[in-house]
Amino acid sequence: LKDVMVDFGMDYDLAGLIGSISGIATVLVTIPVALLAGRFNAKFMVPLCCALVAAGMLIFGLAVNIPMLFLGRIVSTTFYNGITTSLVVVKMRQVPAQRISGVNGIENFMQPIGQTVATLCMAQILVAVGGWRNVYTIIGSVMLAMALLWLVLYRETDVNPVPAQSRQGGEDVKPLATALKQKSFWLVFLGWPWTVLIWVGMFYYWPSYAQGALS
C-alpha cells in the first residue's frame, strides 16, 4: 500500500477509497453476477471470469493514473464473485452429497493458509519481482494461464442430477427468494459486514497507518 501511495502521490483517504471501491462493487454486483454465473456452463463461465479478473489485475498493475487503479479494482472484484458462484455449481453437480462437507472443509482450510503465506512472504516477493506492479502483472498472467488450463482439463459430470421440479421452473430455481425466507440468512446478512469491516481495516490499513503516523 505504501509503495502505491508514493507512486501516485496519494494520501490515506484516497488509498482507502481505492481499496474500498472493491467492497462497494461487491455489494452492487454480487447477487446479479452470482445469479448470472449459475445459469451458464461452468466450463466456460469459470475461465471467462478468471480472464476478466486477470484483466482487472493487469489494469491495476499497469495503471498510469488513479482512474486506472479504480477501474482495475472494480473489474477484478466484479468477476471474482462469478468464479466463486460457478465453483459452487461445480461442487453441487460433481461432488457426491455425502462428501460436500469434506470438500468445503478442505477449501476453507486452504484459504487462510494462502492468506497467511502471502502475508508472511509479501515483502520478499515484492523485492524478488521488482515491486507491486510486477506482483499484479504476474498474478494476472497466472490467472490467464489457469483459465486456459481449466478449458483443457475440465470434465463435465453430474453425480447429483437436478430434480425435475427445478428443471421445469419449480421453487428450487429461485435461490434468492428461498434464502430470504430463512432466519439464518438474515442473521448472517446482518452480522457478516461488521466482521469484514474490522478484518479489512486491521489487515489492510492499520499496519501502513501505524508506520506512517505512529513511528
Side-chain angles (χ1 to χ4, degrees):
L1 177 61
K2 188 174 182 180
D3 291 342
V4 179
M5 292 171 63
V6 170
D7 286 355
F8 288 91
M10 294 186 294
D11 57 17
Y12 281 105
D13 290 341
L14 182 56
L17 185 58
I18 292 173
S20 63
I21 195 68
S22 59
I24 296 171
T26 298
V27 171
L28 295 176
V29 304
T30 293
I31 292 178
V33 171
L35 294 175
L36 185 65
R39 291 178 177 270
F40 292 94
N41 192 320
K43 179 174 183 177
F44 303 105
M45 198 65 189
V46 169
L48 174 62
C49 289
C50 280
L52 291 169
V53 172
M57 295 286 184
L58 293 173
I59 291 171
F60 195 93
L62 299 173
V64 295
N65 52 47
I66 290 176
M68 286 184 69
L69 294 178
F70 278 103
L71 179 62
R73 293 289 287 179
I74 291 171
V75 171
S76 59
T77 302
T78 296
F79 293 98
Y80 171 79
N81 293 291
I83 299 174
T84 56
T85 301
S86 297
L87 291 178
V88 170
V89 175
V90 171
K91 288 189 290 186
M92 290 174 61
R93 292 178 179 172
Q94 300 196 26
V95 178
Q98 64 272 21
R99 296 185 60 189
I100 285 289
S101 296
V103 171
N104 286 339
I106 293 172
E107 181 180 349
N108 292 328
F109 175 73
M110 294 303 296
Q111 287 176 352
I113 289 181
Q115 291 174 339
T116 301
V117 171
T119 303
L120 290 173
C121 300
M122 185 50 64
Q124 293 86 341
I125 293 173
L126 286 168
V127 173
V129 303
W132 67 271
R133 290 184 179 275
N134 290 335
V135 170
Y136 276 89
T137 301
I138 291 170
I139 291 174
S141 301
V142 170
M143 289 199 69
L144 287 175
M146 296 301 295
L148 293 174
L149 283 174
W150 178 276
L151 284 171
V152 173
L153 300 177
Y154 179 82
R155 295 292 180 270
E156 184 71 52
T157 59
D158 196 351
V159 298
N160 300 308
V162 178
Q165 182 186 9
S166 297
R167 292 195 298 268
Q168 296 170 5
E171 185 179 356
D172 290 345
V173 299
K174 301 175 182 177
L176 181 58
T178 302
L180 291 174
K181 297 177 183 178
Q182 305 297 320
K183 294 180 179 179
S184 56
F185 170 86
W186 287 102
L187 182 62
V188 174
F189 175 80
L190 294 172
W192 190 252
W194 303 104
T195 304
V196 174
L197 176 67
I198 296 169
W199 179 82
V200 169
M202 291 297 296
F203 189 81
Y204 285 103
Y205 300 113
W206 172 250
S208 295
Y209 173 77
Q211 286 182 328
L214 304 179
S215 59

